[in-house]
Amino acid sequence: MERADGFSQFPNKLARTSSALNIHPRDDSTAPAVTPTSATTNITTSDNNIINMNDINNQSEQQKAPQPPSCFLREQDQYLPIANVIRIMRRGLPPHAKISDDAKGTVQECVSEFISFITGEANDRCHHELRKTITAEDIIWAMGKLGFDNYLEPLTLFLSRYREGENQRNSTRREPNMGHRAVDYRQVGVPGPHESVYNLGPHQGFYDPSTGLYLQGWIWFKFWWWI
Amino acid sequence: MSGRMGPHSLPLARIKKIMKKSGDDVKMISGEAPIVFSKACELFIQELTKRSWMVTMQGKRRTLHKEDVASAVIATDIFDFLVNLVSDESSNDNLAETPSEEMETFRS
């Protein structure tokens, strides 16, 4: 499998420049590769400037493909890592099964499309309900709306177990109630008091110690922070 | 954030980036949303792969090809949002079939 080794000399500089042309091929040999010179790493202006610099550099650089459009900037950020995708693909296949490189790439693209598709629907719901933050419940709701009904139960279970683990971690630490942690009692599909804060400690409210679960998964802890 | 619940199969920061790219008006994303997506993407990849593999087996082959993925997408209603993606790829690839793929098909 070929890789654009010309990138190896610019790893850190390219990573720090937010708008530098930073094309990395997906892990197959068919994607185009563009190698900018060191001069381009300091350019932080618009895409037009970057494209112009690349035209200048075309003569001297080992450019292997035509100039890609600006929407393919930082292509590695558009997809999940192919190694992870392949690992998950292999889980469901018999040991003797083989997967062609183009199939791996296609599934990798499909996953990104899936994320965008669901996020778009979840985002629409947030807008409709005048909320700014896409939550886990929005994601699960969007899956149900878009036909992925068989994902609802495993995802809800996964989320409740995750929250359980977080709650156990937090109660062990005995943290005081933080301003940005809100207990939000609402059912999926019904607008709730997102902005109001119920300052309940970890052992109050609807926590059921016998099962270690919150009431039927209707109770959510919400953690809001800039990531 | 990514290390809070132990290792996930998929990188949460990358999921978040893809979520943000889905629309200009995607601003704030709760910490749990990428975590739910990491599980959802696993389920999605497994379902798509299994459906594709069924097509491969129908063709009595052992190598899962892109065309099998395309067939699975077309045959599954909830994968309608992928139809353009797989049909664009297959139309591009018809122009440049590699000999190895043909040999593989011939062998099986």
Side-chain angles (χ1 to χ4, degrees):
Chain A
M1 218 159 38
E2 290 179 9
R3 297 192 70 113
D5 288 332
F7 277 69
S8 59
Q9 47 187 316
F10 311 116
N12 296 325
K13 287 184 180 179
L14 288 174
R16 287 195 208 107
T17 306
S18 61
S19 60
L21 186 60
N22 190 15
I23 301 291
H24 289 281
R26 287 186 286 111
D27 289 352
D28 58 42
S29 55
T30 59
V34 175
T35 305
T37 60
S38 56
T40 65
T41 60
N42 293 325
I43 294 176
T44 57
T45 52
S46 67
D47 292 344
N48 286 335
N49 288 338
I50 294 170
I51 290 170
N52 290 336
M53 284 302 294
N54 266 317
D55 287 341
I56 292 168
N57 294 331
N58 275 353
Q59 304 154 7
S60 56
E61 286 303 310
Q62 60 270 29
Q63 184 137 351
K64 297 176 186 174
Q67 178 67 42
S70 58
C71 63
F72 291 147
L73 287 177
R74 304 185 71 84
E75 183 177 318
Q76 75 277 20
D77 294 339
Q78 286 190 333
Y79 305 117
L80 296 176
I82 196 148
N84 301 55
V85 172
I86 293 167
R87 195 180 314 126
I88 298 170
M89 287 177 76
R90 289 203 192 283
R91 280 189 215 156
L93 294 177
H96 66 270
K98 293 179 184 172
I99 311 172
S100 71
D101 285 346
D102 55 5
K104 294 171 187 171
T106 300
V107 173
Q108 186 190 32
E109 292 175 12
C110 288
V111 179
S112 292
E113 197 67 26
F114 171 71
I115 294 173
S116 296
F117 185 51
I118 301 290
T119 303
E121 194 67 32
N123 194 38
D124 287 346
R125 186 195 189 208
C126 286
H127 282 315
H128 185 68
E129 297 181 358
L130 303 178
R131 287 184 285 114
K132 293 179 186 174
T133 304
I134 300 175
T135 64
E137 320 71 298
D138 292 328
I139 301 299
I140 294 176
W141 174 87
M143 303 243 180
K145 181 163 188 293
L146 294 171
F148 295 91
D149 297 324
N150 48 338
Y151 295 8
L152 297 182
E153 192 177 333
L155 289 179
T156 305
L157 184 62
F158 175 80
L159 186 60
S160 66
R161 283 181 178 162
Y162 167 75
R163 286 171 171 167
E164 236 182 281
E166 288 294 295
N167 187 52
Q168 284 174 3
R169 185 204 309 262
N170 292 330
S171 62
T172 305
R173 281 195 242 137
R174 292 177 179 270
E175 283 175 349
N177 289 321
M178 291 192 272
H180 61 266
R181 184 188 303 172
V183 177
D184 185 27
Y185 304 99
R186 71 181 172 95
Q187 298 179 9
V188 174
V190 175
H194 294 267
E195 300 300 329
S196 54
V197 176
Y198 297 85
N199 286 319
L200 298 179
H203 301 295
Q204 298 176 18
F206 293 89
Y207 180 72
D208 182 0
S210 61
T211 60
L213 292 175
Y214 286 88
L215 258 186
Q216 299 298 323
W218 297 132
I219 312 302
W220 312 109
F221 275 112
K222 292 171 70 163
F223 299 91
W224 311 39
W225 59 83
W226 280 105
I227 299 170
Chain B
M1 172 190 129
S2 59
R4 293 190 61 165
M5 195 53 188
H8 296 274
S9 288
L10 297 167
L12 300 176
R14 185 73 60 86
I15 291 174
K16 185 163 176 282
K17 269 187 191 161
I18 299 170
M19 288 176 74
K20 288 205 165 218
K21 282 174 86 73
S22 69
D24 290 335
D25 55 351
V26 176
K27 299 282 187 238
M28 293 183 70
I29 299 171
S30 82
E32 294 174 331
I35 289 170
V36 166
F37 253 128
S38 73
K39 183 66 179 174
C41 289
E42 279 186 38
L43 299 173
F44 173 80
I45 292 169
Q46 286 174 344
E47 180 173 7
L48 180 58
T49 303
K50 283 181 182 165
R51 288 180 181 271
S52 305
W53 179 247
M54 284 166 53
V55 178
T56 308
M57 285 201 298
Q58 283 171 6
K60 296 189 170 57
R61 288 176 280 110
R62 290 186 169 192
T63 301
L64 197 158
H65 285 289
K66 175 166 75 174
E67 290 74 22
D68 302 328
V69 179
S71 298
V73 162
I74 291 166
T76 310
D77 287 342
I78 58 172
F79 291 164
D80 279 352
F81 68 99
L82 296 170
V83 165
N84 288 336
L85 182 67
V86 297
S87 58
D88 282 346
E89 288 193 2
S90 52
S91 62
N92 286 338
D93 249 31
N94 281 338
L95 302 174
E97 274 187 46
T98 62
S100 60
E101 289 179 11
E102 290 172 11
M103 284 178 62
E104 186 63 41
T105 309
F106 177 78
R107 240 185 261 126
S108 54

